[in-house]
């Protein structure tokens, strides 16, 4: 990177070095891209990350086990429920506690609602990055409703801190089930409208099809996860293939990119996978609400969480792909090591490889289509 | 790229125009629907706090009359923004009194972990959220008066109900009593670090630093904000005693003004 900065003076003619971000709305957070361009065509775009590094993993070593839960909210503020869930599962494995079924179901409901909220932001901002401003407003309107629902459930709109080690914090509030079902009915029609509004808009399709193609092999090599990996045609979903929580009890499809309007793995495929995933999430929430078992919502966990020395690993399918937690205990009340593996971080790696030959305007499409969230990259 | 034929070209144009109108028709249909946004705060039908769900995690409120002084909330807080001190009552040595119960709401992340272990429900989240203050120190809520400490509540065995004041009423009264631009308070008890600049800076420089803590109280609000902002960087306050005379004197206001914050366990933690 230093080399690139130094070379700036050597550029003659059309070539120039462009600093894209860190305060640019379409960088999806505080990320800087060093873009080496020749006119409109990029030679290379190098992501420069670390602006939002808050040493969250280190904090995990100094707060107790339950005390780290609100910090996990801050790892990915657009979809905090998954970070909660991954951490909770890892510590539960350390403690060897069994989560009661009702808590499992509640977790699944909360997480899938959260996935809908996150994908709405992702698809909405993608449309607005591409230049269509209206869809973002529609997406945010729906997301507000989801936030209202989650707020009624756990008291906060973004930093939920809903999960507890061994279960969840609250049971369903009164009348919440009906509110959710009503919203989902509305949401399903809204998705149809959404497709008419933007997904199948010719201009939008032409803008995204065949842009920033990531092949299946390449996606695996770079460790892409979640919708980015599925957009490249890889059929892999942690919820289905490494089941956890209540997911084995639900029937849902795993949408993958099929190259609907271009090549498999282009920006449109990654976008469309997310739209389809919202439909699947809606299905899962319905099933979960229908089959919600009765019982406890939190397992018996001692007030002093003090697991035996050992290590535990958990993986959950977050809205941004596979999220993994690795927690090491040394037998004290504080973790020896907490490590979070996030989807956005690996997704940043591929930008440098995909960018040569893309237009500068397509970089925006690429960033939007891999749906990175800056705090999740840096943690 | 293969060359487009004229038909393809015209087809593309008509496609684009039709899908453009398709999208626009949806947008236009929203012209006829009721708007879903409202103007905040003056056009909402109810005060916003009354429309929030009961579980909303807003500002914390402590009902001192039912606090048992168990300090469970203090231990549960991952940041350490609650500070509780207990002392024996001078008049009645068997009774313990709470001399300090501070919650630094500026640091609080509204996670609700302190509410859960409370045996009586004395500490609760309210639905208050409109409490911005010009001086960040005004966001440290003092639920115990150091001059007039409150006795701890004795839980009757088997009690299931605790006479708690209506949730939010105590906090509401406090917020209404306090102007948003009220100057920040001078905190008691004095911070041990307050003496540090005097030791570090010899002679005249120390004299310059001395009146600073008193100055904060009458300082212009802008200054108070600045001083408070510096408390946010604990490095500044802790650096002062170690640093040689020159830096301590260079910013007597910074070092000394930062000092009278309550000794907060959070400062020591990497929160
Ligand atoms: S809400 Fe959380 S951060 Fe705030 S005082 Fe309670 S435990 Fe501490
Ligand atoms: S507020 Fe509750 S938890 Fe905190 S000291 Fe009082 S009784 Fe104990």
């Amino acid at each position: 990177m230093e080399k690139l900065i130094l070379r700036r003076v050597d550029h003659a003619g059309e070539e120039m070095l462009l600093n894209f971000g860190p305060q640019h709305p379409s960088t999806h957070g505080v990320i800087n891209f060093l873009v080496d361009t020749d006119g409109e065509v990029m030679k290379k775009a190098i992501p420069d990350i670390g602006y939002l590094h808050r040493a969250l993993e280190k904090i995990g070593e100094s707060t107790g086990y339950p005390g780290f839960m609100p910090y996990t909210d801050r790892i990915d503020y657009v979809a905090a429920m998954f970070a909660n869930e991954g951490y909770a599962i890892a510590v539960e494995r350390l403690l060897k506690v069994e989560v009661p079924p009702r808590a499992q179901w509640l977790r699944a409901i909360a997480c899938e609602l959260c996935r809908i909220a996150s994908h709405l932001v992702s698809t909405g901002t993608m449309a607005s990055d591409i230049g269509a401003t209206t869809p973002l407003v529609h997406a945010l309107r729906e997301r507000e409703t989801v936030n209202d629902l989650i707020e009624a459930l756990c008291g906060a709109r973004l930093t939920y801190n809903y999960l507890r080690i061994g279960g969840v914090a609250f049971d369903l509030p009164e009348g919440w089930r009906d509110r959710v079902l009503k919203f989902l009915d509305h949401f399903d029609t809204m998705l149809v409208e959404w497709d008419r509004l933007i997904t199948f808009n010719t201009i939008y399709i032409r803008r995204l099809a065949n842009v920033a193609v990531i092949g299946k092999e390449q996606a695996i090599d770079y460790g892409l996860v979640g919708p980015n990996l599925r957009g490249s045609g890889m059929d892999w979903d942690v919820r289905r293939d490494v089941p956890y929580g209540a997911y084995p009890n639900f029937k849902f499809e795993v949408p993958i990119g099929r190259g609907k309007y271009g090549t498999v793995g282009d920006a449109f495929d990654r976008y469309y996978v997310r739209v389809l995933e919202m439909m699947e999430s809606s299905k899962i929430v319905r099933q979960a609400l229908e089959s919600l078992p009765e019982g406890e919502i939190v397992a018996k966990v001692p007030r002093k969480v003090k697991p035996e020395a050992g290590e535990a690993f958990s993986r959950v399918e977050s809205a941004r792909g596979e999220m993994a937690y690795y927690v090491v205990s040394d037998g004290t009340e504080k973790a020896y090591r907490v490590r979070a593996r996030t989807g956005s971080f690996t997704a940043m790696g591929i930008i440098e490889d995909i960018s040569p030959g893309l237009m500068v305007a397509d970089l925006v499409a690429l960033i939007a289509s891999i749906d990175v969230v800056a705090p999740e990259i840096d943690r | 790229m293969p060359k487009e034929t004229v038909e393809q070209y015209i087809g593309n144009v008509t496609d684009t125009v039709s899908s453009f109108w398709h999208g626009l028709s949806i947008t236009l249909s929203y012209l006829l629907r009721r708007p879903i946004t409202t103007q905040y705060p003056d056009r909402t039908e109810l005060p916003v706090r009354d429309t929030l769900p009961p579980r909303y995690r807003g500002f914390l409120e402590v009902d001192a009359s039912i606090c048992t002084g168990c300090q469970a909330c203090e231990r549960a807080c991952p940041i350490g923004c609650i500070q509780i001190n207990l002392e024996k009552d001078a008049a009645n040595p068997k009774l313990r009194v709470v001399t300090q119960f501070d919650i630094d709401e500026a640091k609080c992340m509204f996670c609700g972990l302190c509410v859960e272990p409370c045996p009586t429900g004395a500490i609760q989240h309210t639905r208050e959220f409109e409490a911005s203050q010009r001086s960040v120190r005004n966001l440290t809520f003092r639920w115990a008066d150091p001059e007039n400490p409150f006795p701890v509540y004795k839980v009757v065995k088997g009690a299931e109900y605790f006479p708690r004041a209506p949730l939010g009423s105590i906090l509401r009264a406090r917020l209404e009593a306090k102007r948003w631009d009220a100057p920040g308070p001078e905190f008691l008890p004095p911070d041990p670090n307050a003496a540090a600049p005097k030791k570090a800076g010899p002679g005249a420089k120390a004299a310059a630093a001395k009146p600073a803590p008193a100055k904060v109280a009458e300082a212009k609000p802008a200054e108070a904000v600045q001083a408070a902002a510096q408390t946010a960087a604990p490095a500044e306050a802790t650096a002062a005693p170690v640093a040689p005379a020159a830096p301590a004197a260079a910013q007597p206001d910074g070092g000394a003004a930062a000092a009278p914050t309550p000794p907060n366990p959070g400062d020591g933690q990497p929160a």
Side-chain angles (χ1 to χ4, degrees), chain A residues 74 141 151 153-155 159-161 164 171 193 202 206, chain B residues 12 16 19 22 30 36 55-57 78 109 111 116:
Chain A
R74 274 84 183 162
R141 183 194 63 215
E151 188 185 30
L153 179 66
C154 66
T159 49
Y160 309 125
N161 191 23
R164 292 290 178 275
D171 209 331
E193 189 188 276
T202 312
R206 295 196 143 223
Chain B
N12 285 342
T16 308
S19 86
H22 202 92
Y30 275 85
I36 57 148
R55 282 179 192 170
Y56 184 77
R57 299 203 300 258
M109 55 180 169
C111 61
E116 279 163 31

PDB file of all heavy atoms in Angstrom, chain A residues 74 141 151 153-155 159-161 164 171 193 202 206, chain B residues 12 16 19 22 30 36 55-57 78 109 111 116:
ATOM      1  N   ARG A  74     -22.209  -5.059  19.367  1.00  0.00           N
ATOM      2  CA  ARG A  74     -21.480  -4.018  18.630  1.00  0.00           C
ATOM      3  C   ARG A  74     -20.615  -4.601  17.526  1.00  0.00           C
ATOM      4  O   ARG A  74     -20.014  -3.842  16.773  1.00  0.00           O
ATOM      5  CB  ARG A  74     -20.602  -3.224  19.588  1.00  0.00           C
ATOM      6  CG  ARG A  74     -21.290  -2.089  20.276  1.00  0.00           C
ATOM      7  CD  ARG A  74     -22.018  -2.530  21.486  1.00  0.00           C
ATOM      8  NE  ARG A  74     -22.735  -1.425  22.112  1.00  0.00           N
ATOM      9  CZ  ARG A  74     -23.724  -1.595  22.974  1.00  0.00           C
ATOM     10  NH1 ARG A  74     -24.113  -2.804  23.295  1.00  0.00           N
ATOM     11  NH2 ARG A  74     -24.332  -0.589  23.491  1.00  0.00           N
ATOM     12  N   ARG A 141     -38.604   1.474   5.623  1.00  0.00           N
ATOM     13  CA  ARG A 141     -39.938   1.488   6.220  1.00  0.00           C
ATOM     14  C   ARG A 141     -40.261   0.122   6.800  1.00  0.00           C
ATOM     15  O   ARG A 141     -40.719   0.004   7.937  1.00  0.00           O
ATOM     16  CB  ARG A 141     -40.967   1.855   5.137  1.00  0.00           C
ATOM     17  CG  ARG A 141     -42.374   1.958   5.650  1.00  0.00           C
ATOM     18  CD  ARG A 141     -43.347   1.988   4.497  1.00  0.00           C
ATOM     19  NE  ARG A 141     -43.296   0.749   3.738  1.00  0.00           N
ATOM     20  CZ  ARG A 141     -43.454   0.663   2.428  1.00  0.00           C
ATOM     21  NH1 ARG A 141     -43.676   1.733   1.717  1.00  0.00           N
ATOM     22  NH2 ARG A 141     -43.395  -0.500   1.818  1.00  0.00           N
ATOM     23  N   GLU A 151     -37.996  -4.446  19.291  1.00  0.00           N
ATOM     24  CA  GLU A 151     -37.971  -3.551  20.446  1.00  0.00           C
ATOM     25  C   GLU A 151     -38.999  -3.990  21.485  1.00  0.00           C
ATOM     26  O   GLU A 151     -38.733  -3.989  22.688  1.00  0.00           O
ATOM     27  CB  GLU A 151     -38.266  -2.133  19.989  1.00  0.00           C
ATOM     28  CG  GLU A 151     -38.074  -1.085  21.056  1.00  0.00           C
ATOM     29  CD  GLU A 151     -38.509   0.276  20.577  1.00  0.00           C
ATOM     30  OE1 GLU A 151     -39.422   0.354  19.739  1.00  0.00           O
ATOM     31  OE2 GLU A 151     -37.946   1.264  21.042  1.00  0.00           O
ATOM     32  N   LEU A 153     -39.944  -6.928  21.854  1.00  0.00           N
ATOM     33  CA  LEU A 153     -39.495  -8.209  22.411  1.00  0.00           C
ATOM     34  C   LEU A 153     -38.394  -8.027  23.442  1.00  0.00           C
ATOM     35  O   LEU A 153     -38.419  -8.643  24.501  1.00  0.00           O
ATOM     36  CB  LEU A 153     -39.010  -9.098  21.255  1.00  0.00           C
ATOM     37  CG  LEU A 153     -38.473 -10.468  21.621  1.00  0.00           C
ATOM     38  CD1 LEU A 153     -39.579 -11.323  22.188  1.00  0.00           C
ATOM     39  CD2 LEU A 153     -37.870 -11.142  20.409  1.00  0.00           C
ATOM     40  N   CYS A 154     -37.416  -7.183  23.130  1.00  0.00           N
ATOM     41  CA  CYS A 154     -36.259  -7.150  24.032  1.00  0.00           C
ATOM     42  C   CYS A 154     -35.873  -5.763  24.488  1.00  0.00           C
ATOM     43  O   CYS A 154     -34.950  -5.624  25.275  1.00  0.00           O
ATOM     44  CB  CYS A 154     -35.070  -7.849  23.385  1.00  0.00           C
ATOM     45  SG  CYS A 154     -34.443  -7.026  21.957  1.00  0.00           S
ATOM     46  N   GLY A 155     -36.538  -4.745  24.035  1.00  0.00           N
ATOM     47  CA  GLY A 155     -36.292  -3.429  24.617  1.00  0.00           C
ATOM     48  C   GLY A 155     -35.322  -2.547  23.879  1.00  0.00           C
ATOM     49  O   GLY A 155     -35.099  -1.421  24.294  1.00  0.00           O
ATOM     50  N   THR A 159     -29.074  -2.698  19.495  1.00  0.00           N
ATOM     51  CA  THR A 159     -28.171  -3.446  20.370  1.00  0.00           C
ATOM     52  C   THR A 159     -29.031  -4.275  21.310  1.00  0.00           C
ATOM     53  O   THR A 159     -29.324  -3.875  22.419  1.00  0.00           O
ATOM     54  CB  THR A 159     -27.286  -2.477  21.154  1.00  0.00           C
ATOM     55  OG1 THR A 159     -28.123  -1.476  21.717  1.00  0.00           O
ATOM     56  CG2 THR A 159     -26.281  -1.815  20.271  1.00  0.00           C
ATOM     57  N   TYR A 160     -29.410  -5.444  20.814  1.00  0.00           N
ATOM     58  CA  TYR A 160     -30.497  -6.181  21.448  1.00  0.00           C
ATOM     59  C   TYR A 160     -30.142  -6.729  22.809  1.00  0.00           C
ATOM     60  O   TYR A 160     -30.902  -6.598  23.741  1.00  0.00           O
ATOM     61  CB  TYR A 160     -30.926  -7.342  20.545  1.00  0.00           C
ATOM     62  CG  TYR A 160     -31.199  -6.935  19.133  1.00  0.00           C
ATOM     63  CD1 TYR A 160     -30.550  -7.541  18.076  1.00  0.00           C
ATOM     64  CD2 TYR A 160     -32.117  -5.947  18.851  1.00  0.00           C
ATOM     65  CE1 TYR A 160     -30.808  -7.166  16.771  1.00  0.00           C
ATOM     66  CE2 TYR A 160     -32.371  -5.565  17.557  1.00  0.00           C
ATOM     67  CZ  TYR A 160     -31.710  -6.180  16.518  1.00  0.00           C
ATOM     68  OH  TYR A 160     -31.957  -5.809  15.245  1.00  0.00           O
ATOM     69  N   ASN A 161     -28.982  -7.365  22.910  1.00  0.00           N
ATOM     70  CA  ASN A 161     -28.615  -8.066  24.142  1.00  0.00           C
ATOM     71  C   ASN A 161     -29.775  -8.942  24.609  1.00  0.00           C
ATOM     72  O   ASN A 161     -30.171  -8.928  25.757  1.00  0.00           O
ATOM     73  CB  ASN A 161     -28.233  -7.054  25.227  1.00  0.00           C
ATOM     74  CG  ASN A 161     -27.606  -7.727  26.423  1.00  0.00           C
ATOM     75  OD1 ASN A 161     -27.084  -8.825  26.297  1.00  0.00           O
ATOM     76  ND2 ASN A 161     -27.673  -7.092  27.570  1.00  0.00           N
ATOM     77  N   ARG A 164     -29.201 -14.788  26.401  1.00  0.00           N
ATOM     78  CA  ARG A 164     -28.431 -14.985  27.617  1.00  0.00           C
ATOM     79  C   ARG A 164     -27.754 -16.337  27.499  1.00  0.00           C
ATOM     80  O   ARG A 164     -28.208 -17.196  26.735  1.00  0.00           O
ATOM     81  CB  ARG A 164     -29.342 -14.992  28.846  1.00  0.00           C
ATOM     82  CG  ARG A 164     -29.975 -13.682  29.175  1.00  0.00           C
ATOM     83  CD  ARG A 164     -28.962 -12.685  29.698  1.00  0.00           C
ATOM     84  NE  ARG A 164     -29.606 -11.416  29.971  1.00  0.00           N
ATOM     85  CZ  ARG A 164     -29.805 -10.472  29.059  1.00  0.00           C
ATOM     86  NH1 ARG A 164     -29.406 -10.649  27.831  1.00  0.00           N
ATOM     87  NH2 ARG A 164     -30.396  -9.346  29.384  1.00  0.00           N
ATOM     88  N   ASP A 171     -39.550 -13.635  27.467  1.00  0.00           N
ATOM     89  CA  ASP A 171     -40.502 -14.417  26.691  1.00  0.00           C
ATOM     90  C   ASP A 171     -41.262 -13.459  25.764  1.00  0.00           C
ATOM     91  O   ASP A 171     -41.068 -12.257  25.811  1.00  0.00           O
ATOM     92  CB  ASP A 171     -41.475 -15.129  27.639  1.00  0.00           C
ATOM     93  CG  ASP A 171     -41.970 -16.429  27.031  1.00  0.00           C
ATOM     94  OD1 ASP A 171     -42.033 -16.483  25.786  1.00  0.00           O
ATOM     95  OD2 ASP A 171     -42.278 -17.367  27.773  1.00  0.00           O
ATOM     96  N   GLU A 193     -43.965  -6.482  -4.270  1.00  0.00           N
ATOM     97  CA  GLU A 193     -43.892  -5.099  -4.737  1.00  0.00           C
ATOM     98  C   GLU A 193     -42.444  -4.679  -4.920  1.00  0.00           C
ATOM     99  O   GLU A 193     -42.091  -3.987  -5.871  1.00  0.00           O
ATOM    100  CB  GLU A 193     -44.587  -4.198  -3.718  1.00  0.00           C
ATOM    101  CG  GLU A 193     -44.778  -2.783  -4.178  1.00  0.00           C
ATOM    102  CD  GLU A 193     -45.287  -1.903  -3.057  1.00  0.00           C
ATOM    103  OE1 GLU A 193     -46.510  -1.895  -2.846  1.00  0.00           O
ATOM    104  OE2 GLU A 193     -44.474  -1.248  -2.398  1.00  0.00           O
ATOM    105  N   THR A 202     -35.288  -3.173 -15.539  1.00  0.00           N
ATOM    106  CA  THR A 202     -34.290  -3.461 -16.577  1.00  0.00           C
ATOM    107  C   THR A 202     -32.991  -2.697 -16.339  1.00  0.00           C
ATOM    108  O   THR A 202     -31.899  -3.248 -16.507  1.00  0.00           O
ATOM    109  CB  THR A 202     -34.848  -3.074 -17.953  1.00  0.00           C
ATOM    110  OG1 THR A 202     -36.147  -3.626 -18.058  1.00  0.00           O
ATOM    111  CG2 THR A 202     -33.965  -3.600 -19.044  1.00  0.00           C
ATOM    112  N   ARG A 206     -29.421  -4.514 -15.740  1.00  0.00           N
ATOM    113  CA  ARG A 206     -28.290  -4.291 -16.651  1.00  0.00           C
ATOM    114  C   ARG A 206     -27.105  -3.700 -15.917  1.00  0.00           C
ATOM    115  O   ARG A 206     -25.950  -3.883 -16.326  1.00  0.00           O
ATOM    116  CB  ARG A 206     -28.726  -3.346 -17.775  1.00  0.00           C
ATOM    117  CG  ARG A 206     -29.771  -3.965 -18.619  1.00  0.00           C
ATOM    118  CD  ARG A 206     -29.893  -3.220 -19.906  1.00  0.00           C
ATOM    119  NE  ARG A 206     -30.161  -4.158 -20.954  1.00  0.00           N
ATOM    120  CZ  ARG A 206     -29.588  -4.118 -22.148  1.00  0.00           C
ATOM    121  NH1 ARG A 206     -28.728  -3.168 -22.416  1.00  0.00           N
ATOM    122  NH2 ARG A 206     -29.892  -5.006 -23.045  1.00  0.00           N
TER     123      ARG A 206
ATOM    124  N   ASN B  12     -34.325  -2.550 -26.364  1.00  0.00           N
ATOM    125  CA  ASN B  12     -33.745  -2.122 -25.089  1.00  0.00           C
ATOM    126  C   ASN B  12     -34.366  -0.831 -24.611  1.00  0.00           C
ATOM    127  O   ASN B  12     -34.683  -0.682 -23.427  1.00  0.00           O
ATOM    128  CB  ASN B  12     -32.236  -1.920 -25.240  1.00  0.00           C
ATOM    129  CG  ASN B  12     -31.505  -3.230 -25.304  1.00  0.00           C
ATOM    130  OD1 ASN B  12     -32.050  -4.256 -24.921  1.00  0.00           O
ATOM    131  ND2 ASN B  12     -30.294  -3.202 -25.820  1.00  0.00           N
ATOM    132  N   THR B  16     -36.492  -0.423 -21.212  1.00  0.00           N
ATOM    133  CA  THR B  16     -36.079   0.499 -20.162  1.00  0.00           C
ATOM    134  C   THR B  16     -37.203   1.448 -19.799  1.00  0.00           C
ATOM    135  O   THR B  16     -37.520   1.636 -18.627  1.00  0.00           O
ATOM    136  CB  THR B  16     -34.847   1.294 -20.639  1.00  0.00           C
ATOM    137  OG1 THR B  16     -33.880   0.372 -21.101  1.00  0.00           O
ATOM    138  CG2 THR B  16     -34.274   2.127 -19.521  1.00  0.00           C
ATOM    139  N   SER B  19     -39.987  -0.417 -17.916  1.00  0.00           N
ATOM    140  CA  SER B  19     -39.699  -0.782 -16.523  1.00  0.00           C
ATOM    141  C   SER B  19     -39.521   0.460 -15.674  1.00  0.00           C
ATOM    142  O   SER B  19     -39.779   0.447 -14.476  1.00  0.00           O
ATOM    143  CB  SER B  19     -38.486  -1.709 -16.436  1.00  0.00           C
ATOM    144  OG  SER B  19     -37.297  -1.008 -16.379  1.00  0.00           O
ATOM    145  N   HIS B  22     -42.943   1.309 -14.801  1.00  0.00           N
ATOM    146  CA  HIS B  22     -43.440   0.296 -13.873  1.00  0.00           C
ATOM    147  C   HIS B  22     -43.060   0.650 -12.448  1.00  0.00           C
ATOM    148  O   HIS B  22     -43.901   0.680 -11.539  1.00  0.00           O
ATOM    149  CB  HIS B  22     -42.817  -1.046 -14.255  1.00  0.00           C
ATOM    150  CG  HIS B  22     -43.577  -2.210 -13.763  1.00  0.00           C
ATOM    151  ND1 HIS B  22     -44.542  -2.817 -14.499  1.00  0.00           N
ATOM    152  CD2 HIS B  22     -43.515  -2.854 -12.585  1.00  0.00           C
ATOM    153  CE1 HIS B  22     -45.056  -3.800 -13.798  1.00  0.00           C
ATOM    154  NE2 HIS B  22     -44.452  -3.849 -12.627  1.00  0.00           N
ATOM    155  N   TYR B  30     -47.840   5.584  -3.886  1.00  0.00           N
ATOM    156  CA  TYR B  30     -47.632   5.977  -2.494  1.00  0.00           C
ATOM    157  C   TYR B  30     -48.064   7.407  -2.226  1.00  0.00           C
ATOM    158  O   TYR B  30     -48.229   7.813  -1.091  1.00  0.00           O
ATOM    159  CB  TYR B  30     -46.173   5.770  -2.083  1.00  0.00           C
ATOM    160  CG  TYR B  30     -45.939   4.365  -1.636  1.00  0.00           C
ATOM    161  CD1 TYR B  30     -45.653   3.368  -2.549  1.00  0.00           C
ATOM    162  CD2 TYR B  30     -46.051   4.021  -0.304  1.00  0.00           C
ATOM    163  CE1 TYR B  30     -45.482   2.070  -2.159  1.00  0.00           C
ATOM    164  CE2 TYR B  30     -45.881   2.717   0.104  1.00  0.00           C
ATOM    165  CZ  TYR B  30     -45.593   1.742  -0.825  1.00  0.00           C
ATOM    166  OH  TYR B  30     -45.439   0.458  -0.435  1.00  0.00           O
ATOM    167  N   ILE B  36     -46.379   7.327   6.499  1.00  0.00           N
ATOM    168  CA  ILE B  36     -46.103   6.555   7.712  1.00  0.00           C
ATOM    169  C   ILE B  36     -45.115   7.281   8.610  1.00  0.00           C
ATOM    170  O   ILE B  36     -44.830   6.831   9.698  1.00  0.00           O
ATOM    171  CB  ILE B  36     -45.578   5.147   7.391  1.00  0.00           C
ATOM    172  CG1 ILE B  36     -44.320   5.233   6.535  1.00  0.00           C
ATOM    173  CG2 ILE B  36     -46.618   4.295   6.737  1.00  0.00           C
ATOM    174  CD1 ILE B  36     -43.387   4.105   6.817  1.00  0.00           C
ATOM    175  N   ARG B  55     -40.920  -2.811  27.649  1.00  0.00           N
ATOM    176  CA  ARG B  55     -39.581  -3.341  27.902  1.00  0.00           C
ATOM    177  C   ARG B  55     -38.477  -2.406  27.452  1.00  0.00           C
ATOM    178  O   ARG B  55     -37.304  -2.745  27.557  1.00  0.00           O
ATOM    179  CB  ARG B  55     -39.416  -4.670  27.154  1.00  0.00           C
ATOM    180  CG  ARG B  55     -40.089  -5.793  27.857  1.00  0.00           C
ATOM    181  CD  ARG B  55     -39.942  -7.071  27.093  1.00  0.00           C
ATOM    182  NE  ARG B  55     -40.832  -8.076  27.629  1.00  0.00           N
ATOM    183  CZ  ARG B  55     -41.065  -9.233  27.048  1.00  0.00           C
ATOM    184  NH1 ARG B  55     -40.490  -9.522  25.905  1.00  0.00           N
ATOM    185  NH2 ARG B  55     -41.885 -10.102  27.592  1.00  0.00           N
ATOM    186  N   TYR B  56     -38.849  -1.270  26.952  1.00  0.00           N
ATOM    187  CA  TYR B  56     -37.861  -0.357  26.410  1.00  0.00           C
ATOM    188  C   TYR B  56     -36.766  -0.071  27.429  1.00  0.00           C
ATOM    189  O   TYR B  56     -37.043   0.170  28.596  1.00  0.00           O
ATOM    190  CB  TYR B  56     -38.539   0.949  25.996  1.00  0.00           C
ATOM    191  CG  TYR B  56     -37.600   1.910  25.333  1.00  0.00           C
ATOM    192  CD1 TYR B  56     -37.231   1.722  24.015  1.00  0.00           C
ATOM    193  CD2 TYR B  56     -37.052   2.978  26.023  1.00  0.00           C
ATOM    194  CE1 TYR B  56     -36.350   2.581  23.401  1.00  0.00           C
ATOM    195  CE2 TYR B  56     -36.169   3.837  25.418  1.00  0.00           C
ATOM    196  CZ  TYR B  56     -35.820   3.632  24.106  1.00  0.00           C
ATOM    197  OH  TYR B  56     -34.932   4.481  23.499  1.00  0.00           O
ATOM    198  N   ARG B  57     -35.537  -0.117  26.960  1.00  0.00           N
ATOM    199  CA  ARG B  57     -34.420   0.109  27.877  1.00  0.00           C
ATOM    200  C   ARG B  57     -33.918   1.535  27.734  1.00  0.00           C
ATOM    201  O   ARG B  57     -33.029   1.828  26.962  1.00  0.00           O
ATOM    202  CB  ARG B  57     -33.302  -0.879  27.587  1.00  0.00           C
ATOM    203  CG  ARG B  57     -33.714  -2.321  27.753  1.00  0.00           C
ATOM    204  CD  ARG B  57     -32.525  -3.209  28.008  1.00  0.00           C
ATOM    205  NE  ARG B  57     -31.565  -3.182  26.928  1.00  0.00           N
ATOM    206  CZ  ARG B  57     -31.453  -4.128  26.011  1.00  0.00           C
ATOM    207  NH1 ARG B  57     -32.226  -5.168  26.038  1.00  0.00           N
ATOM    208  NH2 ARG B  57     -30.557  -4.029  25.075  1.00  0.00           N
ATOM    209  N   PRO B  78     -21.037  -4.581  33.054  1.00  0.00           N
ATOM    210  CA  PRO B  78     -19.755  -4.885  32.419  1.00  0.00           C
ATOM    211  C   PRO B  78     -18.857  -3.657  32.266  1.00  0.00           C
ATOM    212  O   PRO B  78     -17.657  -3.808  32.104  1.00  0.00           O
ATOM    213  CB  PRO B  78     -20.155  -5.456  31.059  1.00  0.00           C
ATOM    214  CG  PRO B  78     -21.554  -5.063  30.838  1.00  0.00           C
ATOM    215  CD  PRO B  78     -22.177  -4.761  32.150  1.00  0.00           C
ATOM    216  N   MET B 109     -24.456   1.506  28.467  1.00  0.00           N
ATOM    217  CA  MET B 109     -24.855   1.077  27.124  1.00  0.00           C
ATOM    218  C   MET B 109     -26.251   0.467  27.128  1.00  0.00           C
ATOM    219  O   MET B 109     -26.627  -0.212  26.193  1.00  0.00           O
ATOM    220  CB  MET B 109     -23.836   0.146  26.508  1.00  0.00           C
ATOM    221  CG  MET B 109     -23.503  -1.069  27.309  1.00  0.00           C
ATOM    222  SD  MET B 109     -22.285  -2.035  26.390  1.00  0.00           S
ATOM    223  CE  MET B 109     -21.779  -3.205  27.591  1.00  0.00           C
ATOM    224  N   CYS B 111     -27.765  -1.996  28.513  1.00  0.00           N
ATOM    225  CA  CYS B 111     -27.826  -3.409  28.184  1.00  0.00           C
ATOM    226  C   CYS B 111     -28.812  -4.140  29.076  1.00  0.00           C
ATOM    227  O   CYS B 111     -29.303  -5.205  28.713  1.00  0.00           O
ATOM    228  CB  CYS B 111     -26.448  -4.042  28.316  1.00  0.00           C
ATOM    229  SG  CYS B 111     -25.768  -3.957  29.967  1.00  0.00           S
ATOM    230  N   GLU B 116     -31.321  -7.238  35.980  1.00  0.00           N
ATOM    231  CA  GLU B 116     -31.718  -8.628  36.213  1.00  0.00           C
ATOM    232  C   GLU B 116     -31.415  -9.152  37.617  1.00  0.00           C
ATOM    233  O   GLU B 116     -32.263  -9.815  38.208  1.00  0.00           O
ATOM    234  CB  GLU B 116     -31.098  -9.517  35.140  1.00  0.00           C
ATOM    235  CG  GLU B 116     -31.927  -9.460  33.887  1.00  0.00           C
ATOM    236  CD  GLU B 116     -31.204  -9.956  32.662  1.00  0.00           C
ATOM    237  OE1 GLU B 116     -30.355 -10.844  32.792  1.00  0.00           O
ATOM    238  OE2 GLU B 116     -31.498  -9.444  31.576  1.00  0.00           O
TER     239      GLU B 116
END
